[in-house]
């Protein structure tokens, strides 16, 4: 497994993963009917560093790293991670998180903040906690889960 900077030849695979992950409407704020153009803006937009995990020449997962805020808040990073459904349960999310922590540190960020972690996504919450993130805030009913209705979202943070 190697994690490298995303390039145009990875965009189709990123789109495949992105659309599969957002379509159920259970883990990300992105609309289930997001388009490829939306994905290009959300996942590969200006000011973002996007990486892919390659396993046997296949894109198994991806993440982005960007400043959480502009100007005087740009010393805290923000990331988003998605893993191809066919590669789940193989530790790829953990590898992506570890890589993002190293990259954020190398880029001079002082911490990483996740602004929107769906509370019912117990796998993600547990994974981020394993890597030193903790909940610093809760938005009550912050997410319109497509199966569960309104659920809370967490803001999670890790100092670097």
């Amino acid at each position: 497994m190697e994690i490298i900077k995303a390039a145009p030849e990875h965009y189709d695979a990123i789109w495949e993963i992105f659309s599969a992950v957002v379509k159920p409407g259970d883990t990300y704020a992105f609309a289930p009917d997001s388009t490829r153009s939306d994905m290009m803006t959300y996942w590969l937009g200006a000011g973002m560093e996007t990486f892919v995990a390659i396993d046997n020449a296949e894109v198994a997962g991806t993440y982005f790293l960007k400043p959480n805020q502009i100007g005087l808040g740009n010393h805290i990073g923000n990331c988003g991670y998605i893993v191809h459904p066919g590669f789940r349960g193989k530790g790829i999310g953990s590898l992506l998180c570890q890589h993002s922590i190293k990259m954020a540190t190398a880029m001079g960020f002082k911490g990483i903040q996740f602004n929107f972690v769906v509370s019912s996504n117990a796998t993600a919450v547990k994974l981020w906690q394993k890597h030193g993130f903790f909940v610093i805030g809760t938005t009550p009913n912050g997410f319109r889960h497509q199966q569960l209705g309104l659920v809370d979202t967490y803001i999670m943070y890790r100092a670097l």
Side-chain angles (χ1 to χ4, degrees):
M1 176 81 57
E2 71 174 326
I3 300 174
I4 60 173
K5 193 163 181 175
E9 61 265 21
H10 303 123
Y11 294 175
D12 286 341
I14 294 171
W15 166 241
E16 178 185 337
I17 298 167
F18 180 92
S19 60
V21 169
V22 304
K23 188 173 183 146
D26 60 355
T27 59
Y28 264 99
F30 305 123
D33 62 352
S34 292
T35 66
R36 183 183 171 103
S37 177
D38 294 333
M39 181 272 301
M40 294 297 290
T41 300
Y42 299 148
W43 212 262
L44 296 155
M48 303 174 106
E49 297 288 335
T50 304
F51 297 87
V52 290
I54 307 293
D55 184 37
N56 292 322
E58 284 189 71
V59 177
T62 178
Y63 81 90
F64 67 77
L65 171 61
K66 66 177 184 170
N68 191 50
Q69 298 293 329
I70 60 169
L72 300 178
N74 69 1
H75 61 290
I76 302 298
N78 175 258
C79 299
Y81 311 82
I82 49 177
V83 174
H84 190 289
F87 285 90
R88 288 188 185 147
K90 298 180 180 185
I92 293 168
S94 189
L95 291 173
L96 292 171
C97 186
Q98 290 170 3
H99 190 270
S100 70
I101 291 167
K102 288 178 191 168
M103 292 303 300
T105 301
M107 294 169 67
F109 288 110
K110 303 301 181 198
I112 298 174
Q113 180 172 312
F114 303 148
N115 299 319
F116 198 91
V117 179
V118 177
S119 64
S120 59
N121 188 354
T123 301
V125 173
K126 184 177 177 181
L127 178 61
W128 307 146
Q129 289 172 331
K130 173 185 165 187
H131 289 288
F133 290 84
F134 57 95
V135 174
I136 61 170
T138 301
T139 304
N141 297 323
F143 181 66
R144 293 189 310 268
H145 193 288
Q146 298 299 287
Q147 290 79 41
L148 303 176
L150 295 176
V151 298
D152 295 348
T153 58
Y154 297 141
I155 302 166
M156 299 185 76
Y157 177 80
R158 181 193 196 279
L160 298 176

